[in-house]
Amino acid sequence: MPSLIFRKGLDLKHAVAGMLADNYHSSVIERIKAEDFTFRSDRLTVHLAREFGFCYGVDRAVDYAYQTRERFPDRQVFLTGEIIHNPHVNEQLRAMGIRFLTDEGESIDHLGATDVVILPAFGVTVAMLQKLDERGCTLIDTTCGSVLNVWKNVRRYAEGGYTSVIHGKVWHEETQATASQTASYGGKYLVVFDQKETESVCEHIRHGGDTDAFMGRFRNAASPGFDPDRDLERIGLANQTTMLMTESLQIGEMIRQAVIDRYGEHELSERYQAFDTICSATQDRQDAVVALLREHPIDLMIVIGGYNSSNTANLARICAAARPTFHIADPDCLVSPEEIRHRPVGSKTEVTATGWLPRTGRLAVGLTSGASTPDNLVGAAVARLETFCRSTAC
Ligand code: SF4
C-alpha cells in the first residue's frame, strides 16, 4: 500500500507550542535580545550575534516531530536518523519515545503500515523514500523548503544535460539526498568539498588528464559511471545549503574560469550555469557573525552547535580567522574557568584545553550558535560564563 505523506504538519501547532517553549525557549536570551543583544555582568560583556540559533527549517522540523508524537501517541514513531544535527534535540525526541532507524537493532525492513516515520529537515535519498513507500508507512516530511530549492535546481540541470557539481560534504545527509535527486533524473553529479578539490576538477576541465587518477580521488563523490572527459563538458553548480558562502562563490568562479579557458567566453552560457543555493538562514548567520566581529572588540568567540552541524562548523571557521574561537557542542563543554572541551576548526575530534578564560580584567565574549541549536543552550552558556567570571578576579 502506498504511504500517506504529511508535508504541512498535522494541525497541532497550538497543542505542542507549550512543550516546545518549555524545552527550547530561554527567557535569558529574550532579555539579552531586548538589550541590544548584549549582556553585562561585572567584568564580563557578552555580545550575541544578531542572527543565531534555530532557523526556519529546523524550527518547523522540530515542531512537526512534536506534532507527530501528539497525533500518534499509540503508534511506533521513527526518525530516519538525526532530525537535525543537535545532540540535545535528538535526545529530547528519544525521551518522547521517538526511535531512530540508525540505531543498532532498528531497520526499515521491520517497519509496517502502522508505523510512522519522520523525514528530517535535510531530506532523505530517493532510495530511502522508495523503501519507506514500499513498507506503506505514514510519512511526516519535514524537508526544508530551501533544500527542496536545491533539488529543483539539480533536477533542472539533469534535464538540461548539465552535470551537477555540488559544493558540499559527500557524507552529509543533505548532499547525499541532493545527489540522489540528480541521479533519479538521469543526471550526473560530482561533489567537491573545497577549493583544493575544485582545483583538480578545473585542471581536468582545462587540460583533461589521467581519468583513473581523477576517479581515484572522486570515486565516492561522483555518480556511477562518471567519466570526467565527458561529464565535465557542461556544468551546473549547486551548494549544500549550509556551506560557507564566500567559499561557494570562489568555487563557482574557479569553475567558470576553467570553462572559459577551455571553451572560450562565447560558449560559457551553454556550458556553465550557477544558482546560489546557500539558504538565507545560513547566509544571515554568517553575515551576523562577520558584523559582530567587525563592530565589537571581542576577546574570544564561542560558537555553540553539534560537531556534525555543517553550518555551525562554518560559523566557527569565520570566527577562528579573526579571534580565538571555541566551537562547543553544548554548555557543559564550558567545564570550569580553567577547562573547556571544544573542537578546533579543521579537526575531527573534541579536545580539552586549559587556561582558556582570561583570569583578570574586562572580558568581551562573542557568542553565536548554529541553526540547529536551541536558545536554552545559548542561555545556559551565558549563565556559565557569568559564574566563571564572577569566580575569577576582577
Ligand atoms: S539551515 Fe537552511 S536549509 Fe537547513 S534547515 Fe535551516 S533553513 Fe533549511
Side-chain angles (χ1 to χ4, degrees):
M1 212 168 32
S3 303
L4 178 61
I5 304 188
F6 292 86
R7 290 202 166 93
K8 294 191 171 165
L10 297 147
D11 287 332
L12 289 166
K13 195 167 180 59
H14 294 299
V16 301
M19 253 185 297
L20 287 165
D22 288 350
N23 291 342
Y24 305 119
H25 182 261
S26 165
S27 52
V28 176
I29 292 303
E30 287 311 308
R31 221 170 37 244
I32 297 174
K33 281 183 182 173
E35 288 167 9
D36 203 22
F37 289 76
T38 305
F39 171 88
R40 288 193 176 84
S41 174
D42 297 327
R43 73 187 185 99
L44 172 68
T45 303
V46 176
H47 295 285
L48 264 182
R50 285 182 185 269
E51 294 286 345
F52 65 95
F54 271 14
C55 58
Y56 48 84
V58 164
D59 217 26
R60 177 171 163 276
V62 176
D63 183 13
Y64 285 9
Y66 275 61
Q67 290 190 37
T68 305
R69 185 71 285 178
E70 187 77 9
R71 170 79 179 264
F72 301 107
D74 304 322
R75 305 256 294 261
Q76 297 194 107
V77 177
F78 295 88
L79 272 159
T80 53
E82 295 191 344
I83 188 165
I84 55 171
H85 288 141
N86 185 278
H88 174 79
V89 176
N90 287 309
E91 278 318 304
Q92 200 77 43
L93 295 175
R94 281 182 202 280
M96 291 161 60
I98 296 178
R99 291 157 60 180
F100 286 54
L101 287 171
T102 42
D103 283 354
E104 214 180 317
E106 304 284 15
S107 164
I108 288 188
D109 299 337
H110 301 157
L111 300 181
T114 58
D115 293 323
V116 181
V117 181
I118 303 166
L119 312 182
F122 27 67
V124 295
T125 62
V126 172
M128 164 81 86
L129 194 59
Q130 273 165 359
K131 272 192 193 171
L132 291 168
D133 198 43
E134 281 160 19
R135 308 302 303 174
C137 308
T138 296
L139 303 181
I140 315 297
D141 186 0
T142 79
T143 308
C144 179
S146 295
V147 175
L148 295 175
N149 181 47
V150 185
W151 295 358
K152 191 179 76 189
N153 279 300
V154 297
R155 288 198 297 246
R156 205 165 50 212
Y157 290 153
E159 286 167 349
Y162 289 82
T163 293
S164 288
V165 172
I166 304 165
H167 175 216
K169 298 172 178 173
V170 76
W171 59 89
H172 193 284
E173 296 94 324
E174 181 193 314
T175 290
Q176 289 175 359
T178 298
S180 78
Q181 288 287 330
T182 312
S184 76
Y185 275 68
K188 301 287 181 186
Y189 65 83
L190 182 70
V191 180
V192 292
F193 174 59
D194 57 13
Q195 285 113 312
K196 201 165 161 213
E197 287 193 356
T198 307
E199 193 46 61
S200 51
V201 174
C202 291
E203 187 59 23
H204 207 95
I205 293 170
R206 285 193 181 93
H207 309 295
D210 185 339
T211 301
D212 289 342
F214 185 94
M215 289 314 296
R217 180 163 196 181
F218 287 104
R219 191 162 312 284
N220 296 325
S223 45
F226 194 88
D227 175 353
D229 295 335
R230 179 195 62 205
D231 296 328
L232 292 175
E233 287 184 347
R234 299 178 84 216
I235 291 172
L237 188 75
N239 330 97
Q240 187 179 313
T241 54
T242 50
M243 300 306 277
L244 196 59
M245 174 57 126
T246 48
E247 190 173 46
S248 280
L249 290 174
Q250 281 161 3
I251 283 171
E253 183 51 30
M254 287 167 75
I255 294 175
R256 196 184 79 91
Q257 196 53 56
V259 171
I260 293 173
D261 291 349
R262 171 74 187 266
Y263 300 104
E265 189 99 39
H266 60 290
E267 288 196 30
L268 183 64
S269 60
E270 256 308 294
R271 293 189 177 273
Y272 177 74
Q273 292 193 11
F275 289 94
D276 170 14
T277 54
I278 302 271
C279 78
S280 60
T282 295
Q283 184 60 58
D284 290 347
R285 279 151 188 71
Q286 292 177 6
D287 290 348
V289 92
V290 169
L292 177 82
L293 290 162
R294 190 180 56 232
E295 289 163 12
H296 300 287
I298 302 291
D299 296 308
L300 62 92
M301 281 296 308
I302 293 179
V303 181
I304 312 173
Y307 292 143
N308 54 351
S309 158
S310 170
N311 77 88
T312 312
N314 283 325
L315 289 174
R317 280 175 73 190
I318 294 172
C319 298
R323 298 284 190 286
T325 296
F326 300 96
H327 174 185
I328 62 173
D330 62 52
D332 293 346
C333 292
L334 303 174
V335 181
S336 71
E338 245 329 284
E339 197 173 299
I340 188 169
R341 285 186 282 111
H342 72 111
R343 193 180 75 164
V345 167
S347 163
K348 288 193 165 42
T349 49
E350 183 182 70
V351 300
T352 299
T354 53
W356 68 281
L357 191 77
R359 309 282 297 185
T360 57
R362 303 198 73 77
L363 179 65
V365 176
L367 191 57
T368 190
S369 62
S372 46
T373 308
D375 279 1
N376 59 342
L377 298 188
V378 183
V382 173
R384 276 188 181 236
L385 285 169
E386 184 184 22
T387 309
F388 292 172
C389 283
R390 281 222 171 113
S391 68
T392 50
C394 286

